[in-house]
Amino acid sequence: MMNAKIKTKFKFQKKDRVTVLTGAGISAESGLKTFRDNGGLWETHQVEEVATPEAFEKDAALVWRFYRQRYLQLADVKPNPAHFALVDLEKFLGDNFTLITQNVDGLHSKAGNKNLIEMHGSLQKCFCLSCQQKFLMSEINLMKKVPSCPVCKGDLRPDIVWFGEIPHHMDEITLRLRHTNYFLMIGTSGYVYPAAQFVQIARLNAAKTIGINLEKPLNSSLIDEFHQGKAGLFLPKLIDCWLNKN
Ligand code: OAD
């Protein structure tokens, strides 16, 4: 497996626009749980109890316990070779590279990606339900069951896009998808919309689509070239091929 020869029919040029969508699978090799695999987060937690606005209204302390724990866990988590490979890709493509992530773990930033859209928010941030001001988690008193705003004392909530809410930066994402030459999706099951639809939008606009995933995602029929395996293993080798480095 380690020496498996990777084959791809694509080569990227500097003028190519490449849009990448990542999901929880890219962070699995950094030690973070995915959502829907065996032992994933949605096996041990009920989505409707921790990831909806209604859940926060019903029991804000429970929701905070879930996100506080996930935030604190990040201190020990490091990017893996798949994250770093995307930094190499961005260095080659410059502004023609866009990284859209559903992940809230901040590992793409930690690795060094700049042109990054965190469509489901960030575990590093929260905002006040009263005055709407945003804060870094590191700036607030996390000891309180429901942390309060340092400015107006209103209730803070994690800056996470919950089920039933509209993801961040959708206009910019749509624009990028319309003008991309290649669309890559990595480590995402294809269950959650609107992200699961991006591959279709890119394809309708004549982009070539590529997938890397441990298991076939739900929307795999829309992928032109699929690589089944671990992102940390496959992505660095694929990027070397796409950039003509071997
Ligand atoms: P999922 O947990 O639904 O899917 C993760 C995918 O990654 C699965 O298809 C796995 O087969 C694959 N995978 C696991 N390990 C991998 C590895 N080492 N390399 C490559 N692939 C691997 O996670 P997402 O698709 O990201 O939203 O889930 C989408 C959204 O659903 C999340 O952003 C989250 C969740 O509810 C919110 O919390 C708002």
Side-chain angles (χ1 to χ4, degrees):
M1 189 65 179
M2 283 302 290
N3 294 319
K5 183 81 181 139
I6 306 268
K7 282 196 187 132
T8 173
K9 55 182 179 227
F10 300 119
K11 293 274 179 225
F12 295 167
Q13 297 179 347
K14 275 189 183 297
K15 65 175 185 350
D16 285 325
R17 285 185 291 259
V18 177
T19 305
V20 183
L21 171 71
T22 61
I26 198 169
S27 297
E29 288 155 82
S30 294
L32 292 177
K33 284 184 177 175
T34 62
F35 294 93
R36 293 174 185 80
D37 290 305
N38 284 341
L41 282 170
W42 294 155
E43 215 170 76
T44 44
H45 297 83
Q46 298 292 324
V47 175
E48 55 282 358
E49 280 178 13
V50 294
T52 63
E54 294 77 20
F56 192 79
E57 243 171 66
K58 188 174 148 211
D59 191 347
L62 173 75
V63 173
W64 263 107
R65 211 159 49 237
F66 177 68
Y67 287 102
R68 184 189 290 111
Q69 191 189 7
R70 288 180 64 201
Y71 164 70
L72 293 173
Q73 182 192 16
L74 293 182
D76 303 322
V77 178
K78 294 185 179 63
N80 67 55
H83 295 103
F84 289 117
L86 291 177
V87 179
D88 289 344
L89 188 55
E90 181 169 5
K91 277 185 189 148
F92 177 78
L93 293 166
D95 286 342
N96 283 340
F97 172 90
T98 306
L99 175 53
I100 305 165
T101 189
Q102 297 166 90
N103 298 343
V104 293
D105 55 33
L107 288 179
H108 288 304
S109 293
K110 251 191 201 177
N113 275 120
K114 303 276 181 265
N115 204 348
L116 172 66
I117 299 175
E118 293 181 313
M119 65 176 289
H120 286 171
S122 164
L123 279 173
Q124 320 275 352
K125 295 179 202 151
C126 56
F127 67 90
C128 175
L129 286 170
S130 299
C131 72
Q132 305 298 317
Q133 207 163 310
K134 276 202 184 187
F135 300 94
L136 291 172
M137 290 287 207
S138 56
E139 294 173 320
I140 62 160
N141 177 4
L142 272 179
M143 301 302 278
K144 288 188 71 179
K145 280 187 176 175
V146 179
S148 49
C149 175
V151 176
C152 77
K153 305 287 180 243
D155 281 349
L156 293 171
R157 64 160 264 188
D159 186 16
I160 301 292
V161 176
W162 287 326
F163 285 91
E165 297 183 319
I166 298 168
H168 298 327
H169 312 296
M170 282 308 296
D171 288 350
E172 195 186 335
I173 289 174
T174 308
L175 196 69
R176 292 285 173 159
L177 293 172
R178 287 216 181 109
H179 294 105
T180 200
N181 302 111
Y182 290 94
F183 178 79
L184 272 60
M185 46 182 276
I186 305 164
T188 179
S189 59
Y191 273 85
V192 174
Y193 283 78
Q197 212 178 4
F198 293 171
V199 61
Q200 193 174 15
I201 300 172
R203 215 159 189 258
L204 285 172
N205 288 284
K208 302 281 181 231
T209 59
I210 306 172
I212 303 166
N213 218 58
L214 207 50
E215 288 158 18
K216 273 200 168 177
L218 212 55
N219 48 9
S220 63
S221 63
L222 298 167
I223 298 173
D224 297 319
E225 183 175 288
F226 181 63
H227 300 271
Q228 186 157 7
K230 291 188 173 183
L233 195 61
F234 278 60
L235 190 59
K237 291 181 186 177
L238 276 166
I239 287 181
D240 278 354
C241 294
W242 293 329
L243 302 189
N244 247 335
K245 286 192 189 167
N246 61 9

